[in-house]
Amino acid sequence: MNYQNLEQRPLLRSYIEGSRQVSNLFWAFAVSFGGLGFFLSGLSSFFKVNLLIFSDSTSLSFVPQGIVLVFYGTVGLTLGIFLWLTIWWDIGFGYNEYSKETQQVTLYRKGFPGKNREICLKFNFSELRSIKMFIKDGLNPQRQLFLCLNDTREIPLTGSNKPTALNKIETEALNLARYLNIYLETD
């Protein structure tokens, strides 16, 4: 992004990806079908009727194998329903808006249904202290940006689900600090 064009803009908006991701869809399918398989295997051992196409579970004794299969199946199906609802509601989706006209930063996120489903935080430019880059490398790398306020609060600006390329997050942090005319710090 060109620095001159960035500074001229009266409004910047960046979007945060929610839970509607390919990896979440994969895990929702895998957990749901696995849980359904376990559940039907347990029921097959109880009713002595084969409920599965690819396997015959009628020869299993219901106590204890069938009970354990029904339990694991119930847990898997419950977790699968939770994952599907999380994808449906797109938990974590939102945007960060920086407006030079109103001199405000607006952070919007979607959460779980209820009275706090939508979270909208607004801060005046005078409340801002700095942009903080948190970079942790290793097996589980983390690269996040935080908006640091004068009262020592640190509000996350980026999602923590996927590691972003180092040069991309550095460029984003630098451009944002220039646009807001605040300091850039690292952790």
Side-chain angles (χ1 to χ4, degrees):
M1 189 176 290
N2 191 353
Y3 172 64
Q4 280 77 22
N5 291 341
L6 183 69
E7 196 172 272
Q8 305 292 326
R9 290 181 167 177
L11 180 75
L12 279 182
R13 183 180 275 187
S14 61
Y15 290 92
I16 307 296
E17 189 175 13
S19 60
R20 289 185 187 160
Q21 300 174 17
V22 175
S23 62
N24 289 347
L25 287 170
F26 168 78
W27 285 113
F29 272 117
V31 169
S32 297
F33 285 124
L36 184 63
F38 275 95
F39 189 75
L40 291 177
S41 293
L43 288 182
S44 294
S45 71
F46 179 74
F47 291 118
K48 300 297 183 201
V49 173
N50 190 19
L51 299 173
L52 292 172
I53 299 168
F54 54 86
S55 172
D56 185 16
S57 304
T58 57
S59 61
L60 292 174
S61 62
F62 184 67
V63 177
Q65 290 97 349
I67 292 173
V68 171
L69 287 171
V70 168
F71 173 73
Y72 285 154
T74 304
V75 171
L77 287 172
T78 304
L79 183 59
I81 290 169
F82 171 76
L83 290 172
W84 284 112
L85 288 175
T86 301
I87 293 167
W88 176 264
W89 293 322
D90 202 13
I91 305 301
F93 170 79
Y95 62 85
N96 303 330
E97 185 177 270
Y98 313 96
S99 173
K100 282 194 172 183
E101 291 176 352
T102 62
Q103 293 286 300
Q104 279 192 331
V105 175
T106 304
L107 307 175
Y108 173 83
R109 301 290 186 274
K110 279 186 175 178
F112 288 99
K115 68 177 188 174
N116 294 328
R117 165 91 166 117
E118 296 177 347
I119 299 169
C120 187
L121 304 173
K122 293 187 181 205
F123 304 104
N124 292 323
F125 280 12
S126 61
E127 297 178 66
L128 308 180
R129 186 183 76 220
S130 64
I131 297 292
K132 181 179 179 181
M133 264 191 331
F134 176 73
I135 299 171
K136 178 183 149 195
D137 290 322
L139 285 175
N140 187 18
Q142 294 178 348
R143 296 179 180 138
Q144 283 186 290
L145 291 181
F146 291 92
L147 182 66
C148 299
L149 304 177
N150 290 330
D151 59 2
T152 69
R153 287 184 289 174
E154 294 180 357
I155 315 293
L157 294 176
T158 56
S160 61
N161 50 358
K162 287 190 237 176
T164 309
L166 190 57
N167 63 347
K168 184 178 177 186
I169 200 157
E170 285 176 343
T171 304
E172 185 180 344
L174 185 61
N175 287 337
L176 193 54
R178 284 180 181 165
Y179 183 80
L180 297 172
N181 197 23
I182 55 177
Y183 296 107
L184 177 63
E185 59 182 81
T186 60
D187 187 18

